[in-house]
PDB file of all heavy atoms in Angstrom:
ATOM      1  N   ASP U 314     102.709 177.566 119.665  1.00 96.00           N
ATOM      2  CA  ASP U 314     103.771 177.936 120.606  1.00 96.00           C
ATOM      3  C   ASP U 314     103.810 179.447 120.813  1.00 96.00           C
ATOM      4  O   ASP U 314     103.006 180.203 120.247  1.00 96.00           O
ATOM      5  CB  ASP U 314     105.116 177.379 120.143  1.00 96.00           C
ATOM      6  CG  ASP U 314     105.570 177.959 118.821  1.00 96.00           C
ATOM      7  OD1 ASP U 314     105.291 179.156 118.555  1.00 96.00           O
ATOM      8  OD2 ASP U 314     106.201 177.220 118.023  1.00 96.00           O
ATOM      9  N   LEU U 315     104.779 179.872 121.629  1.00 95.00           N
ATOM     10  CA  LEU U 315     104.909 181.294 121.961  1.00 95.00           C
ATOM     11  C   LEU U 315     106.203 181.866 121.402  1.00 95.00           C
ATOM     12  O   LEU U 315     106.662 182.911 121.842  1.00 95.00           O
ATOM     13  CB  LEU U 315     104.889 181.460 123.494  1.00 95.00           C
ATOM     14  CG  LEU U 315     103.708 180.834 124.234  1.00 95.00           C
ATOM     15  CD1 LEU U 315     103.942 180.847 125.739  1.00 95.00           C
ATOM     16  CD2 LEU U 315     102.416 181.572 123.895  1.00 95.00           C
ATOM     17  N   ARG U 316     106.757 181.166 120.449  1.00 96.00           N
ATOM     18  CA  ARG U 316     108.106 181.531 120.006  1.00 96.00           C
ATOM     19  C   ARG U 316     108.179 182.929 119.405  1.00 96.00           C
ATOM     20  O   ARG U 316     109.220 183.580 119.467  1.00 96.00           O
ATOM     21  CB  ARG U 316     108.658 180.482 119.031  1.00 96.00           C
ATOM     22  CG  ARG U 316     108.957 179.151 119.696  1.00 96.00           C
ATOM     23  CD  ARG U 316     109.375 178.081 118.708  1.00 96.00           C
ATOM     24  NE  ARG U 316     110.656 178.339 118.089  1.00 96.00           N
ATOM     25  CZ  ARG U 316     111.834 177.931 118.570  1.00 96.00           C
ATOM     26  NH1 ARG U 316     111.880 177.227 119.690  1.00 96.00           N
ATOM     27  NH2 ARG U 316     112.963 178.201 117.939  1.00 96.00           N
ATOM     28  N   ASP U 317     107.063 183.388 118.825  1.00 95.00           N
ATOM     29  CA  ASP U 317     107.105 184.731 118.244  1.00 95.00           C
ATOM     30  C   ASP U 317     107.177 185.821 119.318  1.00 95.00           C
ATOM     31  O   ASP U 317     107.392 186.995 119.002  1.00 95.00           O
ATOM     32  CB  ASP U 317     105.920 184.965 117.303  1.00 95.00           C
ATOM     33  CG  ASP U 317     104.581 184.860 118.030  1.00 95.00           C
ATOM     34  OD1 ASP U 317     104.568 184.396 119.195  1.00 95.00           O
ATOM     35  OD2 ASP U 317     103.563 185.235 117.438  1.00 95.00           O
ATOM     36  N   GLN U 318     107.013 185.417 120.587  1.00 93.00           N
ATOM     37  CA  GLN U 318     107.132 186.408 121.670  1.00 93.00           C
ATOM     38  C   GLN U 318     108.494 186.338 122.372  1.00 93.00           C
ATOM     39  O   GLN U 318     108.769 187.128 123.267  1.00 93.00           O
ATOM     40  CB  GLN U 318     106.043 186.166 122.714  1.00 93.00           C
ATOM     41  CG  GLN U 318     104.628 186.323 122.163  1.00 93.00           C
ATOM     42  CD  GLN U 318     103.592 185.913 123.197  1.00 93.00           C
ATOM     43  OE1 GLN U 318     103.604 186.374 124.338  1.00 93.00           O
ATOM     44  NE2 GLN U 318     102.685 185.036 122.807  1.00 93.00           N
ATOM     45  N   TYR U 319     109.321 185.351 122.013  1.00 94.00           N
ATOM     46  CA  TYR U 319     110.571 185.155 122.746  1.00 94.00           C
ATOM     47  C   TYR U 319     111.466 186.401 122.661  1.00 94.00           C
ATOM     48  O   TYR U 319     111.749 186.889 121.560  1.00 94.00           O
ATOM     49  CB  TYR U 319     111.350 183.961 122.172  1.00 94.00           C
ATOM     50  CG  TYR U 319     110.840 182.595 122.591  1.00 94.00           C
ATOM     51  CD1 TYR U 319     109.674 182.441 123.326  1.00 94.00           C
ATOM     52  CD2 TYR U 319     111.544 181.446 122.249  1.00 94.00           C
ATOM     53  CE1 TYR U 319     109.222 181.191 123.708  1.00 94.00           C
ATOM     54  CE2 TYR U 319     111.094 180.189 122.622  1.00 94.00           C
ATOM     55  CZ  TYR U 319     109.935 180.059 123.353  1.00 94.00           C
ATOM     56  OH  TYR U 319     109.495 178.818 123.718  1.00 94.00           O
ATOM     57  N   THR U 320     111.891 186.866 123.813  1.00 92.00           N
ATOM     58  CA  THR U 320     112.776 188.032 123.856  1.00 92.00           C
ATOM     59  C   THR U 320     114.148 187.687 124.440  1.00 92.00           C
ATOM     60  O   THR U 320     115.100 188.447 124.285  1.00 92.00           O
ATOM     61  CB  THR U 320     112.179 189.136 124.749  1.00 92.00           C
ATOM     62  OG1 THR U 320     111.883 188.569 126.035  1.00 92.00           O
ATOM     63  CG2 THR U 320     110.920 189.698 124.115  1.00 92.00           C
ATOM     64  N   TYR U 321     114.234 186.532 125.131  1.00 93.00           N
ATOM     65  CA  TYR U 321     115.481 186.186 125.825  1.00 93.00           C
ATOM     66  C   TYR U 321     116.599 185.952 124.805  1.00 93.00           C
ATOM     67  O   TYR U 321     116.473 185.105 123.917  1.00 93.00           O
ATOM     68  CB  TYR U 321     115.260 184.925 126.663  1.00 93.00           C
ATOM     69  CG  TYR U 321     116.487 184.408 127.353  1.00 93.00           C
ATOM     70  CD1 TYR U 321     116.865 184.895 128.596  1.00 93.00           C
ATOM     71  CD2 TYR U 321     117.265 183.436 126.760  1.00 93.00           C
ATOM     72  CE1 TYR U 321     117.993 184.421 129.228  1.00 93.00           C
ATOM     73  CE2 TYR U 321     118.400 182.949 127.388  1.00 93.00           C
ATOM     74  CZ  TYR U 321     118.758 183.448 128.617  1.00 93.00           C
ATOM     75  OH  TYR U 321     119.877 182.964 129.238  1.00 93.00           O
ATOM     76  N   ASN U 322     117.672 186.702 124.945  1.00 92.00           N
ATOM     77  CA  ASN U 322     118.823 186.598 124.037  1.00 92.00           C
ATOM     78  C   ASN U 322     118.382 186.659 122.578  1.00 92.00           C
ATOM     79  O   ASN U 322     118.912 185.981 121.709  1.00 92.00           O
ATOM     80  CB  ASN U 322     119.591 185.291 124.292  1.00 92.00           C
ATOM     81  CG  ASN U 322     120.920 185.237 123.563  1.00 92.00           C
ATOM     82  OD1 ASN U 322     121.437 186.265 123.119  1.00 92.00           O
ATOM     83  ND2 ASN U 322     121.474 184.049 123.409  1.00 92.00           N
ATOM     84  N   ALA U 323     117.375 187.499 122.318  1.00 91.00           N
ATOM     85  CA  ALA U 323     116.839 187.594 120.965  1.00 91.00           C
ATOM     86  C   ALA U 323     117.455 188.760 120.201  1.00 91.00           C
ATOM     87  O   ALA U 323     117.052 189.031 119.066  1.00 91.00           O
ATOM     88  CB  ALA U 323     115.327 187.739 121.014  1.00 91.00           C
ATOM     89  N   GLY U 324     118.400 189.442 120.799  1.00 88.00           N
ATOM     90  CA  GLY U 324     119.114 190.499 120.091  1.00 88.00           C
ATOM     91  C   GLY U 324     118.455 191.851 120.161  1.00 88.00           C
ATOM     92  O   GLY U 324     118.988 192.839 119.657  1.00 88.00           O
ATOM     93  N   GLY U 325     117.290 191.947 120.800  1.00 82.00           N
ATOM     94  CA  GLY U 325     116.591 193.221 120.879  1.00 82.00           C
ATOM     95  C   GLY U 325     116.945 193.972 122.142  1.00 82.00           C
ATOM     96  O   GLY U 325     117.946 193.690 122.791  1.00 82.00           O
ATOM     97  N   HIS U 326     116.108 194.920 122.484  1.00 72.00           N
ATOM     98  CA  HIS U 326     116.393 195.739 123.664  1.00 72.00           C
ATOM     99  C   HIS U 326     115.555 195.295 124.859  1.00 72.00           C
ATOM    100  O   HIS U 326     115.553 195.947 125.889  1.00 72.00           O
ATOM    101  CB  HIS U 326     116.138 197.210 123.367  1.00 72.00           C
ATOM    102  CG  HIS U 326     116.993 197.726 122.251  1.00 72.00           C
ATOM    103  ND1 HIS U 326     118.363 197.678 122.292  1.00 72.00           N
ATOM    104  CD2 HIS U 326     116.663 198.255 121.050  1.00 72.00           C
ATOM    105  CE1 HIS U 326     118.854 198.183 121.168  1.00 72.00           C
ATOM    106  NE2 HIS U 326     117.849 198.530 120.398  1.00 72.00           N
ATOM    107  N   GLU U 327     114.781 194.197 124.678  1.00 72.00           N
ATOM    108  CA  GLU U 327     113.933 193.757 125.786  1.00 72.00           C
ATOM    109  C   GLU U 327     114.704 192.813 126.700  1.00 72.00           C
ATOM    110  O   GLU U 327     115.916 192.858 126.768  1.00 72.00           O
ATOM    111  CB  GLU U 327     112.680 193.092 125.210  1.00 72.00           C
ATOM    112  CG  GLU U 327     111.849 194.070 124.369  1.00 72.00           C
ATOM    113  CD  GLU U 327     110.683 193.368 123.718  1.00 72.00           C
ATOM    114  OE1 GLU U 327     109.799 192.925 124.459  1.00 72.00           O
ATOM    115  OE2 GLU U 327     110.659 193.257 122.489  1.00 72.00           O
ATOM    116  N   HIS U 328     113.959 191.906 127.309  1.00 72.00           N
ATOM    117  CA  HIS U 328     114.541 190.986 128.293  1.00 72.00           C
ATOM    118  C   HIS U 328     115.597 190.077 127.664  1.00 72.00           C
ATOM    119  O   HIS U 328     115.279 189.189 126.890  1.00 72.00           O
ATOM    120  CB  HIS U 328     113.381 190.144 128.843  1.00 72.00           C
ATOM    121  CG  HIS U 328     113.798 189.018 129.717  1.00 72.00           C
ATOM    122  ND1 HIS U 328     114.134 189.184 131.021  1.00 72.00           N
ATOM    123  CD2 HIS U 328     113.918 187.695 129.474  1.00 72.00           C
ATOM    124  CE1 HIS U 328     114.428 188.019 131.547  1.00 72.00           C
ATOM    125  NE2 HIS U 328     114.316 187.098 130.644  1.00 72.00           N
ATOM    126  N   GLY U 329     116.852 190.318 127.978  1.00 76.00           N
ATOM    127  CA  GLY U 329     117.910 189.507 127.388  1.00 76.00           C
ATOM    128  C   GLY U 329     118.533 188.539 128.370  1.00 76.00           C
ATOM    129  O   GLY U 329     119.201 187.580 127.985  1.00 76.00           O
ATOM    130  N   ASP U 330     118.344 188.811 129.652  1.00 87.00           N
ATOM    131  CA  ASP U 330     118.833 187.894 130.685  1.00 87.00           C
ATOM    132  C   ASP U 330     118.012 188.185 131.952  1.00 87.00           C
ATOM    133  O   ASP U 330     116.979 188.852 131.856  1.00 87.00           O
ATOM    134  CB  ASP U 330     120.341 188.057 130.916  1.00 87.00           C
ATOM    135  CG  ASP U 330     120.726 189.483 131.290  1.00 87.00           C
ATOM    136  OD1 ASP U 330     119.872 190.204 131.836  1.00 87.00           O
ATOM    137  OD2 ASP U 330     121.884 189.876 131.047  1.00 87.00           O
ATOM    138  N   HIS U 331     118.457 187.730 133.104  1.00 93.00           N
ATOM    139  CA  HIS U 331     117.668 187.944 134.319  1.00 93.00           C
ATOM    140  C   HIS U 331     118.326 188.916 135.272  1.00 93.00           C
ATOM    141  O   HIS U 331     117.941 189.004 136.443  1.00 93.00           O
ATOM    142  CB  HIS U 331     117.421 186.587 135.012  1.00 93.00           C
ATOM    143  CG  HIS U 331     116.629 185.653 134.173  1.00 93.00           C
ATOM    144  ND1 HIS U 331     117.229 184.838 133.234  1.00 93.00           N
ATOM    145  CD2 HIS U 331     115.295 185.429 134.082  1.00 93.00           C
ATOM    146  CE1 HIS U 331     116.290 184.135 132.608  1.00 93.00           C
ATOM    147  NE2 HIS U 331     115.130 184.476 133.106  1.00 93.00           N
TER     148      HIS U 331
END
Side-chain angles (χ1 to χ4, degrees):
Chain U
D314 63 35
L315 307 170
R316 291 175 67 90
D317 61 349
Q318 299 173 51
Y319 282 7
T320 54
Y321 176 86
N322 190 17
H326 300 302
E327 298 175 66
H328 172 80
D330 57 26
H331 298 86

